[in-house]
Amino acid sequence: FATPAFASLKASIALAGRNAQPILVREHLPDQFEIVFGHRRHRACLELGIPVLAVVAEQSLGDIEVFLSMEQENRERVDLSPFEQGRSYVSALESGLFPSQRRLAEAVGVSHTWVRKSMLVAQLPEPVLQAFRSPLEIQPKHAEVIAAELERDRASVLRRAEKLRLGEKRLTAAQAVQALLPR
C-alpha cells in the first residue's frame, strides 16, 4: 500500500468519489464478509473515508475458488511483483489448498518454474528482505543468487543484510544483491 501504483489507484478513486470496479466478497460468517479480491481498492476507500462498492458472491465460494479468483484478479495487475505472487503461492500451499507446486501451477495456468522462482523470492529470510528498499523490487534472478549464497554461508549473508538494513543509504535492488554477496 506504499507503492506509486497504489497512490495512483487511490487518487483515481478519490477523483471519482468511489471505486468504479467493485470488489468481490463472500459471506464468511453470518453478517461478516471476507474480501475475495479488491484488497487494494478496499484499502484505498478506507483511507479516503469512501464507502466501498462491493459485490457479494451469490454462491458459496470454497477456499480454492477464492484463491483462484484472487489469483486471476492479481495477475491482471501490471505491477504485481514476484514477491507478492510468491507470498500468495506460499500461503496457498501452506494452507493445504494444493498438494504441490506443480498442481498449484496447473490450477492458476502458470509454469511450475514461475511458481518456484516467485516462491523463492517470498521465502528469503526477513533480514534479507529488509536489506532492500522494498521486497517488491526483488526479482527471481536476485533471489536465486542470494539463496545459493545463503546455502554456502548463511551467517555471513545475514550479517551483511543486517548492516544494510541499519545503513542510512537505501540501495537499488542490484546494489543490495551485490552488497549481500562476498566481495
Side-chain angles (χ1 to χ4, degrees):
F1 301 117
T3 64
F6 178 73
S8 176
L9 172 68
K10 187 174 167 182
S12 172
I13 290 172
L15 184 63
R18 65 184 181 88
N19 59 307
Q21 175 73 29
I23 69 170
L24 180 65
V25 298
R26 72 172 175 172
E27 192 164 16
H28 181 61
L29 297 170
D31 296 325
Q32 288 188 353
F33 295 88
E34 175 184 36
I35 298 173
V36 175
F37 60 74
H39 293 86
R40 291 172 359 112
R41 287 176 292 218
H42 178 256
R43 174 72 175 259
C45 288
L46 284 177
E47 289 182 10
L48 293 166
I50 296 173
V52 66
L53 176 63
V55 173
V56 178
E58 288 185 23
Q59 73 231 23
S60 176
L61 292 176
D63 291 341
I64 292 176
E65 290 85 9
V66 167
F67 174 79
L68 293 174
S69 294
M70 190 176 357
E71 170 66 20
Q72 180 181 0
E73 172 82 359
N74 282 339
R75 270 190 283 134
E76 292 174 4
R77 278 181 43 205
V78 174
D79 64 336
L80 189 64
S81 73
F83 175 76
E84 292 168 302
Q85 198 71 68
R87 282 275 167 104
S88 174
Y89 295 157
V90 167
S91 176
L93 288 168
E94 286 179 351
S95 65
L97 293 180
F98 301 94
S100 68
Q101 290 181 20
R102 188 167 303 283
R103 292 279 194 245
L104 187 153
E106 290 169 359
V108 300
V110 298
S111 74
H112 173 261
T113 302
W114 173 247
V115 170
R116 180 186 58 76
K117 286 181 174 188
S118 58
M119 286 180 61
L120 187 61
V121 173
Q123 292 174 319
L124 288 170
E126 192 61 32
V128 171
L129 294 174
Q130 291 176 3
F132 290 82
R133 290 184 298 206
S134 167
L136 304 180
E137 296 179 349
I138 305 170
Q139 296 301 311
K141 65 183 179 184
H142 301 142
E144 288 173 337
V145 171
I146 295 167
E149 188 58 28
L150 281 164
E151 278 195 35
R152 196 184 74 69
D153 187 0
R154 185 177 188 83
S156 293
V157 174
L158 294 177
R159 232 182 351 269
R160 288 189 286 271
E162 184 64 13
K163 185 177 176 182
L164 285 175
R165 186 183 72 80
L166 296 173
E168 290 182 25
K169 185 178 178 193
R170 302 311 289 170
L171 305 175
T172 67
Q175 291 170 329
V177 171
Q178 288 306 308
L180 289 167
L181 301 176
R183 301 271 180 241

